[in-house]
Amino acid sequence: MSKRLFTRRAFAAAAVAASTIMISSFSYAGGHQKVDSIHFLIPGGAGGGWDGTARGTGEALTKSGLVGSATYENMSGGGGGKAIGYLIENAKSNHGTLMVNSTPIVIRSLTKVFPQNFRDLTLVAGTIGDYAALVVPSNSKIKNMSDLVAAYKADPNGVAVGGGSVPGGMDHLVAAMVMQAAGANPTDVKYVAYDAGGKAMAGLLSGEIKALSTGFSEAVAMAKAGEVNIIGVTSNDRVSAYPNAKTMKEQGINTSFVNWRGFFAAPGLPKDKLAAYQGAIAAMYKTAEWEAVRSRNGWENIHNSGDQFRAFLEQQEKEIEGLMKKLGFL
């Protein structure tokens, strides 16, 4: 074999190897794997809506082959502010990280729970909507919203409502919205805050609180296990993931609410990596693996990327600020 032929073959082999590495990191031909790996940063504890969304999304992305592997890290603290601060302060070393968040990033920046807001991060994509629900222990005397509202009107202090967010946060806001729509004083809600939905559910089952304001997907799992009854959902129509749960509206309480969840990256994320993450998430919606996760949790597909995501958040910020002022939270 001549030296010239060997050199050509070596060069060709090197070129193939280089292209294989590039493809494995970002996108395989034919639209298969888009990203090599993703580290999901979860601002709350295990068992909450953020935790379920991150792990469910990672499950769909990896099982469908769109992402090679996924890892998860729970970082509680500061109403979600600890994880946000960490991602901003360590931006350059976290280009492989996506942080899950939702409506609370808007609420908590308005109430100054933490100094940052969504504008300080790289906006990747909104992915799902999760309705809110009020639940009670399965052995509770409270069987429906009429029972809960009657007990609340009779003695607000005796009907503690818990949630996996800070006072004035989303779970508190939903409980106040519901009581206002039911003709009760929304500012009288005795709200007990827990760090994430899992701890809040434990507080409900131990009797620390009478009712729990939580995400519908979190409530479904406990209801199917026979531990709680879902007495009201903030959807316009019953949700197929648990059709026995009545909506607020069909019980005479004219209110609805859906909590978006989505993903953010560190500030300064390179454009090619942002495009790869957004491409993987967009492709995920067409997979059977995602549909299995989505239907299991009762989520609604609400997908918006980049500038659309920013416009959506800015509009929600205006709406929530007005509502919180009306309810006396701002």
Side-chain angles (χ1 to χ4, degrees):
M1 182 183 297
S2 69
K3 182 177 181 180
R4 185 177 179 183
L5 181 58
F6 178 84
T7 301
R8 285 179 178 175
R9 288 181 176 176
F11 179 80
V16 170
S19 66
T20 300
I21 291 171
M22 186 178 296
I23 289 169
S24 67
S25 296
F26 295 102
S27 176
Y28 281 133
H32 209 58
Q33 185 168 305
K34 304 289 186 182
V35 178
D36 185 33
S37 65
I38 296 176
H39 180 66
F40 287 98
L41 181 62
I42 304 163
W50 286 335
D51 189 68
T53 301
R55 293 178 190 275
T57 302
E59 175 189 331
L61 288 170
T62 53
K63 285 187 175 180
S64 65
L66 290 167
V67 172
S69 62
T71 54
Y72 308 90
E73 179 182 3
N74 292 86
M75 186 180 290
S76 300
K82 181 178 179 180
I84 295 171
Y86 170 82
L87 195 58
I88 293 171
E89 293 165 12
N90 301 278
K92 290 184 178 179
S93 61
N94 277 285
H95 288 169
T97 298
L98 291 185
M99 181 188 70
V100 63
N101 220 293
S102 56
T103 307
I105 197 173
V106 175
I107 296 172
R108 291 169 188 174
S109 65
L110 287 171
T111 55
K112 310 301 181 185
V113 172
F114 44 72
Q116 308 92 344
N117 64 41
F118 59 84
R119 297 173 183 86
D120 297 311
L121 300 162
T122 296
L123 278 60
V124 179
T127 55
I128 63 161
D130 186 16
Y131 298 110
L134 286 177
V135 306
V136 296
S138 57
N139 61 356
S140 173
K141 294 181 180 179
I142 296 171
K143 302 300 181 185
N144 50 46
M145 285 304 304
S146 294
D147 291 346
L148 180 66
V149 172
Y152 174 79
K153 286 182 176 180
D155 181 16
N157 284 329
V159 186
V161 179
S165 60
V166 296
M170 191 188 71
D171 293 333
H172 188 177
L173 184 61
V174 167
M177 286 170 55
V178 169
M179 290 305 175
Q180 183 184 55
N185 188 341
T187 61
D188 285 342
V189 173
K190 182 180 179 182
Y191 179 77
V192 180
Y194 294 88
D195 179 19
K199 292 181 180 179
M201 194 69 79
L204 177 72
L205 298 179
S206 69
E208 292 177 356
I209 52 178
K210 295 290 186 180
L212 175 65
S213 174
T214 187
F216 180 68
S217 60
E218 299 166 58
V220 166
M222 299 296 286
K224 288 182 176 178
E227 296 183 288
V228 303
N229 290 329
I230 302 174
I231 60 172
V233 185
T234 61
S235 55
N236 289 318
D237 302 296
R238 294 201 189 192
V239 184
S240 59
Y242 200 79
N244 290 337
K246 292 183 178 180
T247 68
M248 298 293 178
K249 287 187 174 183
E250 69 182 290
Q251 297 180 79
I253 301 172
N254 188 24
T255 190
S256 61
F257 176 82
V258 62
N259 171 33
W260 63 268
R261 295 198 184 110
F263 294 93
F264 299 79
L269 182 74
K271 290 183 179 180
D272 58 344
K273 288 196 172 184
L274 174 59
Y277 291 140
Q278 290 175 331
I281 290 171
M284 177 184 73
Y285 289 93
K286 300 176 183 178
T287 68
E289 290 81 4
W290 171 249
E291 179 55 26
V293 171
R294 187 210 63 77
S295 61
R296 182 178 75 215
N297 289 286
W299 295 335
E300 295 291 317
N301 286 330
I302 299 179
H303 179 226
N304 41 35
S305 283
D307 290 340
Q308 287 183 333
F309 192 23
R310 180 178 296 277
F312 172 83
L313 293 175
E314 289 175 346
Q315 180 62 31
Q316 187 187 59
E317 185 179 52
K318 290 180 182 179
E319 292 174 354
I320 287 180
E321 184 176 17
L323 178 62
M324 293 185 77
K325 285 180 178 178
K326 183 179 179 181
L327 294 177
F329 291 135
L330 287 179

